[in-house]
Amino acid sequence: MSRSHEDDESNDASEATRDARLAQLERGIGELSARLRAIEDQLGVARQQQQRRELDARPFGQGATIQARDEVAPVEQRIGVNAAAPVNDDASATHDESATVEDYPFNIPPRADRAGSLDRVESDAGAAASPTRPRRDLETLVGGSLFSWLAIITLVFGVGFFLKTAFESGWIGVSARVLLGGAAGCALLATAERLRARGYRAYAHVLTGGGVLILYLSIYAARIYELVGLTSAFALMSIVTTTAVLLSVRHDALSIAILALIGGFLTPALLSNGVDNQVALFAYVAFLDAGVLALAYFKRWRVLDHLAFVATALVFFAWALAYYESWKDWRTVFFLTLFFAMFAALALLHNVLRQRLASRLDISLALSNAALYFVSVYAVLEDGHRDTLGAFALLLSIFYVLLYALARSRRSEDVRLASAYVVAAAAFLTAAVGIQFGHQWITIGWSVEALLLTWLALRGSERAARYTALAVFAFAASRWLTIDLFSISIGEGTRFVPLLNIRALSCLALLAALACATWLYRRAQSGVGEAERDVVTAAFTLTRFALVLVLLTADANDYFAQQLAHWPYTARDALRLRLENTRQLTLSLVWTIYAAALVSVGLARRSKLIRFAGLAWLAVTALKLVAIDATFYDAAWHAPLFNQTFAAFVAFVAAAGYVARSYARAQGINDDERRIAVVSLTVVGNLFAVAALSLEASGYFHKQLDERERAGLSSRDLRLARQLSLSLVWATCGGAMLAFGHVRQNRALRLLALALLAATTLKVFFFDLAELEKFYRIVSFVALGLVLLAVSFLYQQRRAREGGAD
């Protein structure tokens, strides 16, 4: 029994020990799980592992590849965390305070120490993978690096010139020269590999680049000297290009790739024998581009794309200047299309497939490729195949629309790339319309295109498409103002009808497109900011008003020019001035009405830009009245108060009064702006009214003065009567303005009346008193005295009224 009891106690103790150990193990596992979750939440270990997998997925060890030994290293060593730092984590708050670092598998420093650690993963991994290199001084840099590159470049040029000289002098056979070049290139490559194995990495880069250059020279020479066929030359060139790609990747040296690219494109120039071989040259360039672009894709050396593009363009233009002839047009177009397709695919490969946002250099390459391709094909086909250029531009536009759709579906967040495709598509569509159609149809086509772009952009909230549409509208308006506007011919054998001509038709189409675009902007619910909507709609409204004003002005000018052209030459001198007076009246009426309408629209829409434009044009009209219309004040065909000049002034005064009244009643206008506008317009309107009456009085007597002087009669009475009439007009107008100012309680008008009466008083006392005879002097003084008495009475009456009110 005792033994059994002891066994039971032993079993119970064992079970208790196991239970304690299991509990301790569970606590340890819980603490470990909590710390792992804290590490993932706070340091983003999952993100770091994803970055590491992407780095390891790069071909041929690109970038800072993490070695196999790093995979089993602690996380602290790979992300630069101090293993001796104290724990500061809420998830592990239950651990033993006396535990050492070895008690826990992870030890995380405070948050401030961990900031930015993940951003240094690649740089830290790269630093761990390769030892730190000491800085080189200037002497080492020049003597050990720069001179080595200069040496190999000089050597390659020497070999190239030797081969050419040997060919011209007949020193050795063609086959021997090519074989010697190939052997020299291979020897340089082999030597470079041995030196690289011994640690001379930079020097190996130089020799590798030189070997690739010499091989390019040798293979191209073999093709030029017809030692190998075209297929064999292409195969050998592909092998060399592939070798250069592999060596660049193996050495991880961009310099080798750049040197190989430069040597490859210089090869035709170094061994040129003056004979055109377009197919071989452009096929060689195409294969070279394919190799270089493949290398740039896998190594992400985007500089190679730009260098290859520039080099290809230089080779083509150099060939075109030297060897292009019209019978080579379609062959040239084929190779241009091949080059264009290769470089157009770069954005899809680098940005769409790799999910990489396009940079400004990427966009510049894409747009430059499109522009150079179109310009080159246009230059090639312009002479003999101009009828196909419109369709060609339209196909390019469709091509970029497809690219845009692909970019939006696969890479919707890359707004810059999609915008570039929209711009290119719109540009080529605009060019297609301009090429295919002629005269005013270009403006009509561009207007319709801009409207469609606006509609599509507002439906899809595409900012680039909206801005492109604005640019196309600007092109259409510029073309109408610079070409369509001057397309009307005036002469005896022509017939011109205002507003019913081809110029008005294209303007009407542009106006309709602008009006529809304005309506679309106002109805847009999303994607367009309020500020952008206000600015664009105001700009569209101003453009419409400006186009209509220019159209009416041009048609009025051409109408009167046509009327004059139908009269015989003998009668034109007599009618010229009268027609000119009528023409100026027509223009003044159009400008005045349009300025007033523009201000009214600006007040109704509460657009400061529009109403200020209307006020500015009203000021321009005022200057025109003073400088041009007023010169006809004494025209022989004028009847008093019923003539073109007085009608122009009356229309302006009425417009000024209308605009001032509109300002006074408008809602949502700044009070300072309202006050300044009303006062200014009131003063200007009344001054022009006085000027119009003064011109009428002066002109009436001036015509009679001319008749008397031509007849040799005395004109003193008429001169005195003219001065008297001016005094009476000024005094009457001053009194009327003062009375109206009192009735309407318009202080500005009263002050203007007082100023006019003061000027009249000065004229009467200092001019009329000395110049006028007794009768005219009496009338002048009596009239002025009566007016001044009336003015004084009004002010006394007002003073009494105000005093009584007090």
Side-chain angles (χ1 to χ4, degrees):
M1 291 292 294
S2 61
R3 180 177 297 274
S4 175
H5 181 69
E6 292 176 357
D7 291 340
D8 292 338
E9 290 180 352
S10 176
N11 291 334
D12 292 340
S14 299
E15 291 178 358
T17 303
R18 285 196 301 271
D19 292 342
R21 289 179 178 177
L22 287 173
Q24 182 179 2
L25 181 60
E26 289 177 356
R27 287 196 300 272
I29 292 175
E31 292 177 359
L32 180 60
S33 300
R35 294 192 58 76
L36 287 174
R37 286 194 298 271
I39 290 169
E40 292 179 354
D41 294 338
Q42 299 177 13
L43 293 181
V45 171
R47 178 186 172 191
Q48 176 209 4
Q49 293 174 351
Q50 178 64 26
Q51 292 176 348
R52 181 173 292 104
R53 284 195 295 270
E54 293 178 357
L55 291 174
D56 293 340
R58 297 181 182 176
F60 304 105
Q62 163 66 19
T65 305
I66 299 176
Q67 303 297 331
R69 63 178 178 274
D70 295 328
E71 297 297 336
V72 296
V75 175
E76 309 92 77
Q77 299 176 7
R78 291 187 291 174
I79 62 176
V81 177
N82 185 5
V87 176
N88 185 17
D89 201 316
D90 295 338
S92 58
T94 60
H95 76 284
D96 189 0
E97 296 294 336
S98 63
T100 62
V101 175
E102 289 78 5
D103 293 332
Y104 295 97
F106 299 96
N107 199 308
I108 308 302
R111 184 176 304 273
D113 296 334
R114 299 194 301 264
S117 60
L118 285 179
D119 296 334
R120 301 191 299 269
V121 170
E122 285 196 25
S123 60
D124 292 344
S130 60
T132 304
R133 299 177 184 174
R135 289 182 175 272
R136 293 180 295 177
D137 56 11
L138 180 61
E139 179 183 355
T140 304
L141 178 64
V142 174
S145 180
L146 180 59
F147 278 9
S148 61
W149 284 108
L150 292 177
I152 198 63
I153 293 173
T154 306
L155 179 62
V156 171
F157 271 88
V159 171
F161 290 132
F162 167 75
L163 292 176
K164 186 172 182 179
T165 303
F167 173 75
E168 295 174 352
S169 304
W171 294 344
I172 55 178
V174 175
S175 300
R177 291 194 296 271
V178 173
L179 291 176
L180 284 175
C186 292
L188 284 176
L189 294 179
T191 304
E193 289 301 306
R194 295 189 64 182
L195 291 176
R196 180 181 179 277
R198 294 183 180 181
Y200 299 99
R201 190 169 180 268
Y203 200 73
H205 292 175
V206 176
L207 296 183
T208 301
V212 171
L213 288 177
I214 293 177
L215 288 176
Y216 277 137
L217 289 170
S218 302
I219 297 173
Y220 189 75
R223 172 57 193 154
I224 292 298
Y225 303 147
E226 298 183 354
L227 297 178
V228 295
L230 183 60
T231 304
S232 300
F234 288 163
L236 291 173
M237 199 63 65
S238 300
I239 293 173
V240 174
T241 303
T242 304
T243 303
V245 171
L246 295 176
L247 289 175
S248 300
V249 174
R250 176 180 174 82
H251 291 269
D252 196 19
L254 175 62
S255 57
I256 295 177
I258 294 177
L259 192 60
L261 182 148
I262 295 174
F265 279 99
L266 282 178
T267 298
L270 291 175
L271 296 181
S272 176
N273 57 3
V275 178
D276 178 31
N277 194 347
Q278 181 188 12
V279 175
L281 174 63
F282 287 164
Y284 163 77
V285 172
F287 274 98
L288 185 59
D289 281 336
V292 171
L293 298 181
L295 175 62
Y297 176 77
F298 288 110
K299 295 295 291 181
R300 300 189 181 183
W301 290 336
R302 298 304 307 276
V303 66
L304 294 180
D305 297 336
H306 301 277
L307 290 177
F309 175 74
V310 173
T312 303
L314 291 177
V315 169
F316 170 77
F317 288 121
W319 171 86
L321 290 175
Y323 301 112
Y324 174 73
E325 295 177 303
S326 59
W327 61 271
K328 303 175 184 178
D329 46 8
W330 291 113
R331 183 192 302 172
T332 305
V333 170
F334 168 77
F335 281 108
L336 285 172
T337 305
L338 177 61
F339 296 145
F340 166 75
M342 294 173 67
F343 288 100
L346 293 179
L348 298 179
L349 295 175
H350 287 282
N351 304 118
V352 177
L353 297 182
R354 277 191 167 174
Q355 299 292 300
R356 175 181 174 272
L357 291 177
S359 65
R360 289 184 176 87
L361 288 177
D362 298 335
I363 299 304
S364 66
L365 177 60
L367 295 180
S368 299
N369 180 43
L372 283 180
Y373 174 60
F374 178 76
V375 170
S376 301
V377 174
Y378 189 94
V380 170
L381 300 180
E382 182 181 14
D383 292 336
H385 307 279
R386 184 175 176 81
D387 54 339
T388 63
L389 290 175
F392 167 69
L394 181 60
L395 288 176
L396 273 180
S397 179
I398 295 173
F399 173 74
Y400 276 100
V401 169
L402 296 177
L403 289 182
Y404 164 77
L406 179 61
R408 291 293 290 171
S409 62
R410 298 291 298 273
R411 188 67 171 156
S412 59
E413 64 272 18
D414 198 345
V415 179
R416 184 177 290 170
L417 182 62
S419 301
Y421 287 151
V422 169
V423 171
F428 288 125
L429 180 59
T430 303
V433 173
I435 294 171
Q436 195 66 30
F437 300 100
H439 304 294
Q440 284 74 19
W441 294 108
I442 297 177
T443 303
I444 296 174
W446 287 356
S447 302
V448 174
E449 176 192 349
L451 178 59
L452 291 176
L453 280 174
T454 303
W455 177 68
L456 292 173
L458 294 176
R459 281 177 59 89
S461 299
E462 290 287 348
R463 180 180 298 178
R466 296 200 303 272
Y467 294 164
T468 305
L470 295 178
V472 177
F473 269 127
F475 288 147
S478 300
R479 176 180 172 80
W480 188 86
L481 290 171
T482 57
I483 298 178
D484 296 3
L485 183 61
F486 304 100
S487 60
I488 300 297
S489 59
I490 301 298
E492 294 184 18
T494 60
R495 183 173 181 270
F496 176 79
V497 180
L499 303 181
L500 295 177
N501 50 73
I502 191 65
R503 174 174 62 194
L505 175 63
S506 60
C507 184
L508 179 62
L510 180 55
L511 291 172
L514 288 169
C516 293
T518 305
W519 181 77
L520 290 174
Y521 263 96
R522 288 175 180 162
R523 287 179 55 89
Q525 300 297 327
S526 62
V528 182
E530 192 67 27
E532 179 184 351
R533 180 186 290 108
D534 293 342
V535 171
V536 172
T537 53
F540 283 167
T541 302
L542 283 177
T543 304
R544 297 203 312 271
F545 272 92
L547 289 173
V548 173
L549 182 60
V550 172
L551 175 64
L552 293 177
T553 301
D555 275 16
N557 285 329
D558 290 341
Y559 171 77
F560 287 104
Q562 184 73 13
Q563 294 298 314
L564 186 62
H566 284 301
W567 285 87
Y569 284 100
T570 55
R572 289 185 184 181
D573 292 338
L575 293 173
R576 189 180 301 276
L577 289 177
R578 182 172 295 184
L579 284 174
E580 178 64 18
N581 191 193
T582 307
R583 183 176 76 91
Q584 294 300 331
L585 169 64
T586 305
L587 294 180
S588 296
L589 291 176
V590 170
W591 291 12
T592 301
I593 295 172
Y594 244 78
L598 202 59
V599 176
S600 298
V601 172
L603 292 172
R605 297 181 180 176
R606 299 181 182 181
S607 174
K608 184 178 293 186
L609 179 65
I610 295 177
R611 60 179 180 265
F612 280 6
L615 291 174
W617 197 251
L618 197 63
V620 172
T621 307
L623 294 177
K624 176 185 177 297
L625 289 175
V626 174
I628 300 177
D629 295 69
T631 59
F632 293 94
Y633 78 101
D634 59 347
W637 56 87
H638 277 190
L641 301 181
F642 294 96
N643 55 75
Q644 295 93 327
T645 301
F646 189 71
F649 274 83
V650 170
F652 180 84
V653 172
Y658 169 78
V659 173
R661 185 179 181 184
S662 300
Y663 251 106
R665 297 182 175 183
Q667 302 295 326
I669 304 299
N670 181 270
D671 290 338
D672 292 336
E673 179 187 344
R674 186 199 313 276
R675 183 177 63 257
I676 294 173
V678 170
V679 171
S680 301
L681 290 167
T682 301
V683 171
V684 170
N686 282 275
L687 286 178
F688 271 77
V690 174
L693 293 173
S694 299
L695 289 174
E696 284 298 300
S698 183
Y700 172 77
F701 290 104
H702 196 275
K703 289 187 293 183
Q704 298 185 37
L705 285 172
D706 290 340
E707 294 177 359
R708 287 206 176 183
E709 288 179 357
R710 286 195 297 268
L713 300 177
S714 176
S715 58
R716 177 175 176 77
D717 290 343
L718 290 176
R719 293 181 184 278
L720 296 177
R722 183 173 65 175
Q723 293 300 327
L724 175 62
S725 65
L726 289 177
S727 298
L728 292 176
V729 167
W730 291 6
T732 304
C733 289
M737 283 190 290
L738 189 65
F740 190 77
H742 278 285
V743 173
R744 300 300 298 269
Q745 297 182 355
N746 191 325
R747 185 170 183 270
L749 191 58
R750 295 196 304 269
L751 293 177
L752 178 63
L754 293 177
L756 181 60
L757 290 174
T760 306
T761 302
L762 292 175
K763 179 179 181 297
V764 169
F765 277 94
F766 290 97
F767 184 84
D768 294 357
L769 183 61
E771 297 294 332
L772 298 185
E773 293 182 351
K774 183 182 297 185
F775 174 76
Y776 296 106
R777 185 187 306 161
I778 294 172
V779 174
S780 177
F781 272 79
V782 170
L784 177 61
L786 292 175
V787 171
L788 292 178
L789 283 175
V791 168
S792 177
F793 176 76
L794 287 175
Y795 272 97
Q796 292 295 331
Q797 188 182 37
R798 179 185 177 189
R799 183 178 179 182
R801 186 170 56 252
E802 291 176 353
D806 293 337

